[in-house]
Amino acid sequence: MARVSLDDLSRMPPQRLARLLLERAVEDPTLLSRLYETVDDRTAAPGPSAPAIIGDSPAMRQVAALLARFGQTDEPVLITGESGTGKELLARAIHDGSARARGPFVAVNCAAIPSGLVASELFGYERGAFTGAAARSVGQIEYANGGTLFLDEIGDMPIDLQAHLLRFLQEGQIRRVGGRETITLNVRIVSATNVRLAQAIAEGRFREDLYYRLNVLTLPVPPLRDRPDDIPQLALHFLRLAARDFNRPVEGFAPTAMATLRRYRWPGNVRELMSVVRRAVVIGDGPLVQPDTLIGLDDRLDSPPPAAAALRPGSAEERTALVQALEQMQENITSTAEALHVSRVTLYRMLRRHGIVLKRGLAPAPVARGRGAAG
């Protein structure tokens, strides 16, 4: 399919755009995952007058204090935390609280872009740079000029591209793929990861010099299980949004339902809480959410696989848990991701890491066989 520019997309009728996305999703399984996550993020994102942080626990007060300080400088920020803790929301809060707030905020998920396309996606390309490059294309870094570029899942950036990103951080200049012109840009980099970059450095999957350039300022985000006192406020926030979105007359939680929410460990963090609350609003009746509508908090597996976050990426134990969950969930991506307590993007990355191809008896993929991948 020919590449479509952003200008073309902005002028495209909604029906044509929807058809284009559906056609592209057939060719790229990760696109559907990214679209779902985009919808979820837009639903969960606060409005212009809403606070960037919901919760008054000591841990979140510390995060809020760091956000205020980080908005006063242009230094790179590395946000660390588990999947589902709201790292992109915090990156946007850093941007909105800085002098760059009038500029663009561009978010790129490094794990969701095929490795062969990362360079052209970030740096852009010139006409004729490769087969199919019929016109010049501006990269995401260039789109973020004057604003902030958020690089999510930075640990999954291909090692050969890390040198180019390091050069940009040091010199503030890029070259499009296939181009000779040096382009000077003014972009602040905020990155995020849910993997241990120190381990990735030790395994040769991440450049140590890039790590120190990205990690000038660090924002650690606590998991939801470490701040249970924030659960009621978060749950009520998501309930109000869901009641508005679905036009449901739901006003709050029954005491037993709220007690259930507080007892749960939330391996999927804030993203999982939002999904559970929205599901309860849809299927429940009456003004209060009841415990029986909080579907998904009890294990649905006779012998559930361990949470993938607790397993070493690429290990035999991780593969065993992945195959077990796929078989028990009949290869349903959403259910398998929930069973493993990971996002859909992380699940697709796990499949590539272990060379597993769906619908083919879990056969190893020739391309991925024997290759290590970032975790």
Side-chain angles (χ1 to χ4, degrees):
M1 180 178 295
R3 188 178 179 91
V4 180
S5 70
L6 289 178
D7 289 338
D8 292 336
L9 289 176
S10 65
R11 294 192 296 266
M12 192 174 293
Q15 290 183 337
R16 170 59 183 149
L17 178 59
R19 188 179 300 110
L20 175 66
L21 291 172
L22 287 173
E23 292 171 353
R24 188 70 181 89
V26 174
E27 303 172 7
D28 179 8
T30 66
L31 176 61
L32 206 53
S33 170
R34 303 202 306 271
L35 290 174
Y36 276 124
E37 290 207 344
T38 300
V39 171
D40 288 346
D41 289 344
R42 294 296 181 268
T43 303
S49 61
I53 293 180
I54 297 174
D56 195 40
S57 63
M60 294 312 290
R61 286 201 297 270
Q62 182 178 6
V63 169
L66 289 174
L67 283 179
R69 290 178 178 271
F70 291 173
Q72 300 171 9
T73 177
D74 258 357
E75 293 297 316
V77 180
L78 178 62
I79 306 175
T80 61
E82 298 177 4
S83 293
T85 50
K87 296 188 288 294
E88 181 172 346
L89 181 63
L90 294 174
R92 189 178 293 273
I94 292 172
H95 170 78
D96 291 342
S98 71
R100 296 177 175 269
R102 293 182 179 274
F105 176 86
V106 178
V108 177
N109 190 318
C110 299
I113 306 174
S115 57
L117 299 179
V118 176
S120 56
E121 185 73 17
L122 287 179
F123 298 96
Y125 57 82
E126 296 290 347
R127 178 181 178 181
F130 49 83
T131 302
R136 170 186 288 177
S137 176
V138 174
Q140 300 291 358
I141 296 178
E142 202 168 341
Y143 274 122
N145 192 29
T148 302
L149 177 69
F150 174 56
L151 296 174
D152 199 7
E153 308 284 7
I154 187 68
D156 288 287
M157 177 173 287
I159 189 71
D160 56 327
L161 260 294
Q162 294 175 23
H164 295 283
L165 180 61
L166 176 63
R167 187 177 302 113
F168 169 68
L169 285 167
Q170 292 173 336
E171 302 173 3
Q173 297 178 332
I174 66 166
R175 285 184 182 176
R176 300 190 188 103
V177 176
R180 297 181 179 180
E181 177 188 3
T182 298
I183 304 169
T184 300
L185 300 173
N186 176 20
V187 179
R188 183 184 193 178
I189 300 293
V190 178
S191 53
T193 181
N194 64 353
V195 301
R196 295 182 178 89
L197 290 184
Q199 179 181 343
I201 292 171
E203 296 174 355
R205 295 183 289 109
F206 201 83
R207 294 179 60 110
E208 187 173 14
D209 47 4
L210 176 59
Y211 170 74
Y212 289 121
R213 289 293 301 180
L214 293 172
N215 194 28
V216 177
L217 301 173
T218 307
L219 181 64
V221 186
L224 187 55
R225 62 181 173 274
D226 289 350
R227 49 187 187 107
D229 290 343
D230 290 337
I231 291 175
Q233 191 175 352
L234 282 164
L236 285 171
H237 171 72
F238 293 136
L239 180 138
R240 294 189 188 103
L241 290 177
R244 180 200 64 195
D245 293 344
F246 304 133
N247 194 26
R248 302 282 290 177
V250 185
E251 300 174 359
F253 295 85
T256 50
M258 183 58 73
T260 299
L261 294 179
R262 290 179 64 93
R263 285 197 306 268
Y264 188 59
R265 293 286 291 171
W266 299 109
N269 291 294
V270 178
R271 183 185 294 135
E272 183 184 11
L273 173 61
M274 181 185 69
S275 297
V276 167
V277 171
R278 291 178 69 81
R279 187 184 304 124
V281 169
V282 171
I283 67 177
D285 294 312
L288 299 179
V289 171
Q290 301 297 328
D292 60 348
T293 63
L294 300 176
I295 299 174
L297 301 193
D298 296 326
D299 277 318
R300 295 174 295 170
L301 306 176
D302 294 333
S303 55
L311 301 174
R312 183 172 62 84
S315 65
E317 293 79 8
E318 183 187 58
R319 180 184 173 85
T320 299
L322 176 58
V323 172
Q324 178 185 354
L326 285 167
E327 291 175 344
Q328 291 176 321
M329 295 301 175
Q330 299 179 346
E331 296 191 359
N332 180 280
I333 291 298
T334 300
S335 299
T336 302
E338 290 178 355
L340 292 171
H341 309 308
V342 299
S343 68
R344 287 181 294 271
V345 169
T346 299
L347 178 60
Y348 282 119
R349 188 168 66 245
M350 292 169 64
L351 291 171
R352 292 197 301 269
R353 179 158 58 227
H354 292 283
I356 294 175
V357 178
L358 302 182
K359 305 299 184 185
R360 299 179 184 175
L362 305 181
V367 174
R369 186 178 297 158
R371 287 172 51 189

